[in-house]
DNA sequence: AGTGCGACCCGAACGC
DNA sequence: TGCGTTCGGGTCGCAC
């Protein structure tokens, strides 16, 4: 599923393709993708030119002339580029056509993805971006910041790391990888984490997510995040997804369980 | 305020 | 083989 590295990868891909293009027309075929009023969304985008693209948490933020278009891929959202003469396919729910007669199609089998059009200057101060915590590369992400955020949490550390208001961008897969690299059991209560462990979590998050970004993200199942985007990080995963696998450290059989309703993989020997 | 859970979706995997 | 059922995943909104 797209987590921060995949979102960064898609953002870079979009940058190469759509910067400088002006929106001619927007078609929405599944209303729930759009946060807010659909007709207002369409009207606000027409005539806007794409200036720059970045990410905030797992959101792609596309800055336009006066607006910001934000997109969340959720489970399987992806962007395809087609000639506008090609008929809409089954899972294409939003089609943005540019004045140069090209288009960008939001394809999402699960229909879980989200898009919103917000005023450019305020986009970081409005929901949903205003609720997000620190990026993993933010200099303010220190062991004491993390410790303070975890101090009042009784949930498992695995669940706390998925809380986007603390560190934003970690999803279910990298969560398992980060805790494995940090030798921390995912079931440990968040408020039991000490300063050295908080330090290890932050350092390993940086190492793992940076490496995943370098490798173009993780491609699992048939998932691709955008046209021609295939990550390679799936070959680097130590624990997540290895159902019958063994620990790459000690050879112990990995535990496959659920934590906070999420599929979780860990080594009972290496992660205390 | 923190926590837990249903809802949103539908293809794949599973059970009979 | 073919059918029906269950599952999973990120986030929001609601109830406790």
């Amino acid at each position: 599923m797209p987590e921060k590295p995949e979102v960064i990868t898609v953002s870079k891909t979009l940058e190469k393709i759509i910067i400088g293009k002006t929106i001619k027309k927007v078609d929405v075929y599944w209303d729930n993708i759009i946060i807010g009023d659909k007709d207002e969304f369409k009207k606000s985008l027409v005539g806007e030119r794409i200036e720059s693209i970045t990410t905030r948490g797992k959101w792609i933020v596309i800055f336009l002339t006066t607006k910001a278009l934000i997109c969340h891929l959720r489970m399987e959202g992806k962007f395809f580029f087609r000639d506008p003469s090609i008929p809409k396919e089954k899972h294409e729910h939003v089609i943005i056509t540019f004045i140069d007669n090209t288009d960008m199609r939001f394809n999402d089998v699960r229909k879980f993805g989200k898009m919103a059009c917000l005023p450019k200057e305020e986009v970081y101060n409005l929901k949903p971006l205003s609720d997000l915590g620190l990026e993993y590369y933010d200099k303010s992400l220190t062991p004491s910041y993390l410790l303070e955020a975890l101090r009042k949490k009784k949930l498992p550390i695995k669940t706390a790391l998925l809380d986007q208001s603390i560190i934003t961008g970690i999803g279910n897969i990298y969560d398992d990888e980060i805790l494995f690299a940090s030798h921390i059991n995912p079931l440990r209560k968040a408020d039991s984490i000490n300063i050295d462990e908080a330090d290890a979590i932050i350092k390993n998050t940086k190492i793992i997510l940076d490496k995943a970004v370098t490798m173009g993200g993780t491609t699992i199942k048939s998932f691709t995040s955008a046209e021609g985007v295939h990550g390679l990080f799936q070959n680097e995963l130590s624990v997540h997804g290895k159902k019958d696998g063994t620990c790459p450290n000690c050879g112990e059989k990995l535990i496959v369980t659920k934590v906070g309703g999420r599929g979780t993989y860990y080594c009972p020997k290496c992660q205390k």
Side-chain angles (χ1 to χ4, degrees):
Chain A
M1 315 299 126
E3 303 179 30
K4 189 69 176 181
E6 292 73 37
V7 174
I8 290 173
T9 302
V10 174
S11 157
K12 286 178 181 168
T13 305
L14 292 183
E15 247 177 358
K16 288 182 202 149
I17 302 174
I18 62 170
I19 295 278
K21 295 196 181 206
T22 299
I23 298 171
K24 178 166 77 180
K25 182 161 158 281
V26 179
D27 290 303
V28 176
Y29 300 94
W30 189 261
D31 295 2
N32 283 348
I33 303 279
I34 310 302
I35 301 172
D37 184 77
K38 176 185 71 168
D39 293 322
E40 200 153 309
F41 174 84
K42 291 159 71 170
K43 206 167 64 183
S44 301
L45 289 173
V46 171
E48 294 271 316
R49 180 179 178 273
I50 299 185
E51 306 285 353
S52 65
I53 305 177
T54 186
T55 67
R56 179 76 180 97
K58 297 176 196 170
W59 290 87
I60 297 166
V61 183
I62 303 175
F63 286 108
L64 307 161
T65 315
T66 68
K67 307 284 183 184
L69 171 63
I70 62 169
C71 311
H72 198 302
L73 306 174
R74 291 286 184 94
M75 321 303 306
E76 302 188 29
K78 37 196 166 282
F79 289 105
F80 288 139
F81 301 92
R82 296 278 182 271
D83 188 284
S85 65
I86 296 170
K88 181 188 98 70
E89 284 166 30
K90 187 180 176 187
H91 299 302
E92 292 171 353
H93 307 306
V94 179
I95 301 186
I96 294 175
T97 310
F98 302 106
I99 57 172
D100 66 354
N101 203 37
T102 59
D103 70 19
M104 174 170 102
R105 306 184 181 194
F106 184 66
N107 182 306
D108 184 358
V109 170
R110 291 282 176 274
K111 295 177 174 169
F112 267 24
K114 293 289 171 194
M115 284 191 189
C117 180
L118 298 167
K120 183 181 190 173
E121 307 302 335
E122 299 163 70
V123 66
Y124 292 127
N125 300 322
L126 295 170
K127 284 195 176 203
L129 303 190
S130 59
D131 293 338
L132 299 176
L134 298 178
E135 299 289 351
Y136 77 89
Y137 44 74
D138 193 316
K139 289 192 168 53
S140 307
L141 179 56
T142 59
S144 58
Y145 166 86
L146 184 56
L147 208 62
E148 175 57 24
L150 298 178
R151 196 173 56 80
K152 43 190 185 284
K153 297 233 171 241
K154 306 278 183 211
L155 323 134
I157 182 63
K158 155 111 184 192
T159 307
L161 292 182
L162 290 173
D163 182 340
Q164 301 296 303
S165 72
I166 302 175
I167 304 172
T168 184
I170 298 172
N172 198 41
I173 296 172
Y174 293 117
D175 197 342
D176 281 0
E177 297 298 311
I178 290 161
L179 290 173
F180 174 75
S182 306
H183 306 288
I184 296 169
N185 188 302
L187 292 158
R188 286 262 308 279
K189 296 298 171 220
D191 63 2
S192 78
I193 296 298
N194 67 36
I195 193 87
D196 292 332
E197 291 168 329
D199 188 49
I201 288 171
I202 292 167
K203 285 190 171 131
N204 285 312
T205 300
K206 287 177 182 166
I207 290 167
I208 290 168
L209 297 193
D210 275 343
K211 187 171 181 193
V213 169
T214 304
M215 300 187 74
T218 297
T219 303
I220 57 171
K221 297 182 184 169
S222 61
F223 177 79
T224 55
S225 41
E227 190 90 279
V229 174
H230 299 279
L232 294 171
F233 195 76
Q234 62 276 15
N235 303 323
E236 304 293 317
L237 298 175
S238 295
V239 287
H240 191 95
K242 292 184 160 181
K243 280 193 170 124
D244 303 315
T246 50
C247 174
N249 252 1
C250 72
E252 182 79 8
K253 195 166 188 317
L254 296 173
I255 302 276
V256 185
T257 184
K258 291 222 176 197
V259 179
R262 297 285 137 66
T264 299
Y265 301 75
Y266 71 97
C267 174
K269 261 189 166 175
C270 297
Q271 293 175 259
K272 294 303 181 188

